Amino acid sequence: MSTHRRQAISAALQAQPTFVSAQQLYAELRNAGERVGLATVYRHLQALAEAGQVDVLRTDEGEAVYRRCATGRHHHHLVCRSCGRTVEVADRAVERWADRIADEHGFRDVRHTVEVVGTCSACGAS
Amino acid sequence: MSTHRRQAISAALQAQPTFVSAQQLYAELRNAGERVGLATVYRHLQALAEAGQVDVLRTDEGEAVYRRCATGRHHHHLVCRSCGRTVEVADRAVERWADRIADEHGFRDVRHTVEVVGTCSACGAS
DNA sequence: GCAAGTATGAGAATCATTCCCGATAACCGG
DNA sequence: CCGGTTATCGGGAATGATTCTCATACTTGC
């Protein structure tokens, strides 16, 4: 159906250089003049997440943050704790590791979460 | 000072077979007859977490869950999504992987989050 | 253009977590 | 053991993110 709002939200997300919370995206949309409701932002973000079109993760404070990733394939993130710059990492090594560990303990249908944060070269003014 | 409440909370946490939320722990303490406040549970849980005596992580719903781990050393968890059984995994391989990835992209002071969930052999009634 | 159905937005409702503050209990010097 | 001082408690209010509700606005098929 009407994909007007959905497109606006999807586009706004696309424009983000890093992970953003629903609240942030909502604020940006409002600033950009979009008359959109917070509930709508949440709805679409969730829909996009379920459709696997965006990645979701939780900050240490428990806030959900979203990001439209370059690839639809499974990957992980390397995020700068200072500027938020995000590098998408697709490396089979971790997947294999997770599978091996799970296997060693008899676990099945394994799913994993792997996120790495650090200070990027631009921010680490050493 | 008064370590009465602190001990009760620490002990209750010790008795948990898996990760528990502050709310759950609070409920258990009340059931056990402890006249403790929710705020106190949060306070001590946070203190214990900062002291590195308990591990904290976030559920997909954003709720913080705590666990007193066997070792104080750095490790990860393999959790059964059905029964909650938790296996502590200390495997240098992931650490090396994370360091390597970070290094390749010029990131420093790296910290990582790695959690694996699956169905344990007891629950996977296949 | 019209009916029927979905998306939308505003604000209320939820829920975990934190804040506030008067009450309480531990510690200490005497 | 006593009073004074101070950190901890507990309960309820305050906060903040997320979800729900529902009347209204837009879409689509016809």
Side-chain angles (χ1 to χ4, degrees):
Chain A
M1 213 180 184
S2 169
T3 45
H4 181 197
R5 283 285 106 85
R6 174 181 291 257
Q7 287 181 349
I9 291 172
S10 189
L13 192 54
Q14 194 97 249
Q16 298 307 314
T18 179
F19 281 91
V20 286
S21 67
Q23 307 275 351
Q24 284 177 295
L25 201 59
Y26 169 70
E28 295 210 11
L29 283 163
R30 298 296 286 218
N31 277 336
E34 278 285 337
R35 267 175 44 279
V36 67
L38 187 51
T40 305
V41 175
Y42 273 103
R43 273 193 290 253
H44 282 148
L45 244 25
Q46 245 176 296
L48 288 168
E50 272 173 33
Q53 290 181 35
V54 302
D55 276 15
V56 195
L57 56 86
R58 298 260 170 192
T59 66
D60 287 342
E61 293 78 43
E63 198 179 12
V65 286
Y66 306 80
R67 171 152 207 253
R68 157 141 257 144
C69 290
T71 171
R73 268 178 297 167
H74 178 74
H75 62 274
H76 299 290
H77 300 100
L78 176 55
V79 185
C80 174
R81 67 165 62 82
S82 170
C83 68
R85 185 155 75 86
T86 303
V87 178
E88 295 177 22
V89 178
D91 187 316
R92 298 290 306 153
V94 230
E95 325 299 332
R96 282 196 299 270
W97 174 83
D99 288 346
R100 176 171 63 77
I101 290 296
D103 209 56
E104 284 177 8
H105 295 278
F107 280 59
R108 306 197 175 180
D109 303 323
V110 185
R111 223 162 295 303
H112 60 266
T113 307
V114 176
E115 299 299 333
V116 187
V117 294
T119 306
C120 78
S121 51
C123 293
S126 65
Chain B
M1 218 180 188
S2 171
T3 43
H4 182 197
R5 282 288 105 84
R6 174 180 292 256
Q7 288 181 349
I9 292 173
S10 190
L13 192 55
Q14 194 97 247
Q16 299 307 315
T18 180
F19 281 92
V20 285
S21 68
Q23 306 275 351
Q24 286 177 292
L25 200 60
Y26 169 69
E28 295 210 11
L29 283 162
R30 298 296 286 218
N31 278 336
E34 277 285 339
R35 266 176 42 281
V36 66
L38 187 52
T40 305
V41 174
Y42 274 103
R43 273 193 291 251
H44 282 150
L45 244 24
Q46 245 176 296
L48 288 168
E50 272 173 34
Q53 291 181 34
V54 301
D55 275 14
V56 195
L57 56 86
R58 297 261 170 191
T59 66
D60 288 342
E61 292 79 43
E63 199 180 14
V65 286
Y66 306 80
R67 169 151 208 253
R68 158 141 256 145
C69 290
T71 171
R73 268 178 298 167
H74 177 74
H75 62 274
H76 299 291
H77 300 100
L78 176 55
V79 186
C80 173
R81 67 165 62 83
S82 171
C83 69
R85 185 155 76 86
T86 304
V87 179
E88 295 177 22
V89 179
D91 187 315
R92 298 290 305 153
V94 229
E95 326 298 332
R96 281 196 301 269
W97 174 83
D99 288 346
R100 176 171 62 77
I101 289 296
D103 208 56
E104 284 177 8
H105 295 278
F107 279 60
R108 305 199 175 177
D109 304 323
V110 185
R111 224 162 294 302
H112 59 266
T113 307
V114 176
E115 299 300 333
V116 186
V117 294
T119 306
C120 77
S121 51
C123 294
S126 66

Coordinates of all heavy atoms in Angstrom, one line a residue, chain A residues 79-116:
Chain A
V79 N 32.6 -0.9 15.0 CA 32.2 0.5 15.2 C 33.1 1.3 16.0 O 33.7 0.9 17.0 CB 30.8 0.5 15.9 CG1 30.2 1.9 16.0 CG2 29.8 -0.4 15.3
C80 N 33.3 2.6 15.6 CA 34.2 3.5 16.3 C 33.4 4.1 17.5 O 32.3 4.6 17.2 CB 34.7 4.6 15.4 SG 35.6 5.8 16.4
R81 N 33.9 3.9 18.7 CA 33.1 4.4 19.8 C 33.1 5.9 19.9 O 32.3 6.5 20.6 CB 33.7 3.9 21.1 CG 35.1 4.4 21.4 CD 35.5 4.1 22.9 NE 35.5 2.6 23.1 CZ 36.5 1.8 22.9 NH1 37.6 2.3 22.3 NH2 36.5 0.6 23.1
S82 N 33.9 6.5 19.1 CA 34.0 8.0 19.2 C 33.2 8.7 18.1 O 32.3 9.5 18.3 CB 35.4 8.4 19.1 OG 35.5 9.8 18.9
C83 N 33.4 8.3 16.8 CA 32.7 9.0 15.7 C 31.6 8.1 15.1 O 30.8 8.6 14.3 CB 33.7 9.4 14.6 SG 34.4 7.9 13.7
G84 N 31.5 6.9 15.6 CA 30.4 6.1 15.1 C 30.6 5.4 13.7 O 29.8 4.7 13.2
R85 N 31.8 5.7 13.1 CA 32.1 5.1 11.8 C 31.9 3.6 11.9 O 32.4 3.0 12.9 CB 33.5 5.5 11.4 CG 33.8 5.0 10.0 CD 35.0 5.9 9.4 NE 36.3 5.6 10.0 CZ 37.1 4.6 9.5 NH1 36.7 3.8 8.5 NH2 38.2 4.4 10.0
T86 N 31.3 3.1 10.9 CA 31.0 1.6 11.0 C 31.6 0.9 9.8 O 31.4 1.3 8.7 CB 29.5 1.4 11.1 OG1 29.0 2.1 12.2 CG2 29.2 -0.1 11.2
V87 N 32.3 -0.2 10.1 CA 32.8 -1.0 9.0 C 32.1 -2.4 9.1 O 32.0 -3.0 10.1 CB 34.3 -1.3 9.2 CG1 34.8 -2.2 8.1 CG2 35.1 0.0 9.3
E88 N 31.6 -2.8 7.9 CA 30.9 -4.1 7.9 C 31.9 -5.2 7.6 O 32.7 -5.1 6.7 CB 29.8 -4.1 6.8 CG 28.7 -3.0 7.1 CD 27.7 -2.9 6.0 OE1 27.5 -3.9 5.3 OE2 27.0 -1.9 6.0
V89 N 31.9 -6.2 8.5 CA 32.8 -7.2 8.4 C 32.2 -8.6 8.0 O 31.3 -9.0 8.8 CB 33.6 -7.4 9.7 CG1 34.6 -8.5 9.6 CG2 34.3 -6.1 10.0
A90 N 32.6 -9.1 6.9 CA 32.0 -10.4 6.6 C 33.2 -11.4 6.5 O 34.0 -11.4 5.6 CB 31.4 -10.3 5.2
D91 N 33.3 -12.1 7.6 CA 34.5 -13.0 7.7 C 34.0 -14.3 8.2 O 33.5 -14.5 9.3 CB 35.5 -12.4 8.7 CG 36.8 -13.1 8.7 OD1 36.7 -14.4 8.8 OD2 37.9 -12.5 8.7
R92 N 34.1 -15.3 7.4 CA 33.7 -16.7 7.8 C 34.3 -17.2 9.0 O 33.7 -18.1 9.6 CB 33.9 -17.6 6.6 CG 33.2 -17.2 5.3 CD 31.7 -17.5 5.4 NE 31.4 -18.8 5.9 CZ 30.3 -19.1 6.5 NH1 29.4 -18.2 6.9 NH2 30.0 -20.4 6.8
A93 N 35.4 -16.7 9.4 CA 36.2 -17.3 10.5 C 35.3 -17.3 11.8 O 35.3 -18.3 12.5 CB 37.4 -16.5 10.8
V94 N 34.6 -16.2 12.1 CA 33.8 -16.2 13.3 C 32.7 -17.2 13.2 O 32.3 -17.8 14.2 CB 33.1 -14.8 13.6 CG1 33.4 -14.4 15.0 CG2 33.5 -13.8 12.5
E95 N 32.1 -17.3 12.1 CA 30.9 -18.2 11.9 C 31.4 -19.6 12.2 O 30.7 -20.3 12.9 CB 30.4 -18.1 10.4 CG 30.5 -16.7 9.7 CD 29.7 -15.7 10.4 OE1 28.7 -16.0 11.1 OE2 30.1 -14.5 10.3
R96 N 32.5 -19.9 11.6 CA 33.0 -21.2 11.8 C 33.3 -21.5 13.3 O 33.0 -22.5 13.9 CB 34.3 -21.5 11.0 CG 34.1 -21.7 9.6 CD 35.3 -22.3 8.9 NE 36.5 -21.4 9.0 CZ 36.8 -20.5 8.1 NH1 36.0 -20.4 7.0 NH2 37.8 -19.7 8.2
W97 N 33.9 -20.5 14.0 CA 34.2 -20.6 15.4 C 32.9 -20.8 16.2 O 32.8 -21.8 17.0 CB 34.8 -19.3 15.9 CG 35.0 -19.3 17.4 CD1 36.1 -19.8 18.0 CD2 34.2 -18.7 18.3 NE1 35.9 -19.7 19.4 CE2 34.7 -19.0 19.6 CE3 33.0 -18.0 18.3 CZ2 34.1 -18.6 20.8 CZ3 32.4 -17.6 19.4 CH2 32.9 -17.9 20.7
A98 N 31.9 -20.0 15.9 CA 30.6 -20.2 16.6 C 30.0 -21.6 16.4 O 29.6 -22.2 17.4 CB 29.6 -19.1 16.2
D99 N 30.1 -22.0 15.2 CA 29.5 -23.3 14.9 C 30.3 -24.4 15.6 O 29.7 -25.4 16.2 CB 29.6 -23.6 13.4 CG 28.5 -22.7 12.6 OD1 27.6 -22.2 13.3 OD2 28.6 -22.6 11.4
R100 N 31.6 -24.3 15.6 CA 32.4 -25.3 16.3 C 32.1 -25.3 17.8 O 31.9 -26.4 18.3 CB 33.9 -24.9 16.1 CG 34.9 -25.9 16.8 CD 36.3 -25.7 16.4 NE 36.9 -24.4 16.7 CZ 37.2 -24.0 17.9 NH1 37.1 -24.9 19.0 NH2 37.7 -22.8 18.2
I101 N 32.1 -24.2 18.4 CA 31.9 -24.1 19.8 C 30.5 -24.7 20.2 O 30.4 -25.5 21.1 CB 31.8 -22.6 20.3 CG1 33.3 -22.0 20.3 CG2 31.3 -22.5 21.7 CD1 34.2 -22.7 21.2
A102 N 29.5 -24.3 19.4 CA 28.2 -24.9 19.6 C 28.2 -26.4 19.5 O 27.6 -27.1 20.3 CB 27.2 -24.2 18.7
D103 N 28.8 -26.8 18.4 CA 28.9 -28.2 18.2 C 29.5 -29.0 19.3 O 29.0 -30.0 19.7 CB 29.7 -28.5 16.9 CG 29.2 -29.7 16.1 OD1 28.0 -29.8 15.9 OD2 30.0 -30.6 15.9
E104 N 30.6 -28.5 19.8 CA 31.3 -29.1 20.9 C 30.5 -29.4 22.1 O 30.7 -30.3 22.9 CB 32.6 -28.3 21.3 CG 33.7 -28.4 20.3 CD 34.9 -27.5 20.7 OE1 34.8 -26.9 21.8 OE2 35.8 -27.3 19.9
H105 N 29.5 -28.5 22.3 CA 28.6 -28.6 23.4 C 27.2 -29.2 23.1 O 26.3 -29.1 23.9 CB 28.5 -27.2 24.1 CG 29.8 -26.8 24.7 ND1 30.3 -27.2 25.9 CD2 30.8 -26.0 24.1 CE1 31.5 -26.6 26.1 NE2 31.8 -25.9 25.1
G106 N 27.1 -29.6 21.9 CA 25.8 -30.2 21.5 C 24.7 -29.3 21.3 O 23.5 -29.7 21.4
F107 N 25.0 -28.0 20.9 CA 23.9 -27.1 20.7 C 23.6 -27.1 19.2 O 24.4 -27.2 18.3 CB 24.3 -25.7 21.1 CG 24.2 -25.5 22.6 CD1 24.9 -26.2 23.5 CD2 23.4 -24.4 23.1 CE1 24.8 -26.0 24.9 CE2 23.2 -24.2 24.4 CZ 23.9 -25.0 25.3
R108 N 22.3 -26.8 18.9 CA 21.9 -26.8 17.5 C 21.1 -25.5 17.2 O 20.8 -24.7 18.1 CB 20.9 -27.9 17.2 CG 21.4 -29.2 17.6 CD 20.6 -30.3 16.9 NE 21.3 -31.6 17.2 CZ 20.7 -32.8 16.8 NH1 19.6 -32.7 16.0 NH2 21.4 -33.9 17.0
D109 N 20.9 -25.3 15.9 CA 20.1 -24.1 15.4 C 20.8 -22.8 16.1 O 20.1 -22.0 16.7 CB 18.7 -24.1 15.8 CG 18.0 -25.4 15.3 OD1 18.3 -25.8 14.2 OD2 17.1 -25.9 16.1
V110 N 22.1 -22.7 15.9 CA 22.8 -21.7 16.5 C 22.7 -20.3 15.8 O 22.7 -20.2 14.6 CB 24.3 -22.1 16.6 CG1 25.1 -21.0 17.3 CG2 24.4 -23.4 17.2
R111 N 22.6 -19.3 16.6 CA 22.6 -18.0 16.1 C 23.5 -17.2 17.0 O 23.7 -17.6 18.2 CB 21.2 -17.4 16.3 CG 20.7 -16.6 15.1 CD 19.2 -16.4 15.1 NE 18.4 -17.6 15.0 CZ 18.5 -18.5 13.9 NH1 19.4 -18.3 13.0 NH2 17.8 -19.6 13.9
H112 N 24.2 -16.2 16.5 CA 25.2 -15.5 17.3 C 25.2 -14.0 17.1 O 24.7 -13.5 16.1 CB 26.6 -16.1 17.0 CG 27.0 -15.9 15.6 ND1 26.8 -16.9 14.7 CD2 27.5 -14.9 15.0 CE1 27.3 -16.5 13.5 NE2 27.7 -15.2 13.6
T113 N 25.7 -13.4 18.1 CA 25.8 -11.9 18.1 C 27.3 -11.6 18.2 O 27.9 -12.1 19.2 CB 25.1 -11.3 19.3 OG1 23.7 -11.8 19.3 CG2 25.1 -9.8 19.2
V114 N 27.8 -10.8 17.3 CA 29.2 -10.4 17.4 C 29.4 -9.0 17.0 O 29.0 -8.6 15.9 CB 30.1 -11.3 16.5 CG1 31.6 -10.8 16.6 CG2 30.0 -12.8 16.9
E115 N 29.8 -8.2 18.0 CA 30.0 -6.8 17.6 C 31.3 -6.3 18.2 O 31.7 -6.8 19.3 CB 28.9 -5.9 18.2 CG 27.4 -6.2 17.7 CD 27.3 -6.1 16.2 OE1 28.0 -5.2 15.6 OE2 26.4 -6.8 15.6
V116 N 32.0 -5.5 17.5 CA 33.3 -5.1 18.0 C 33.3 -3.5 18.0 O 33.0 -2.9 17.0 CB 34.4 -5.6 17.0 CG1 35.8 -5.2 17.6 CG2 34.3 -7.1 16.8

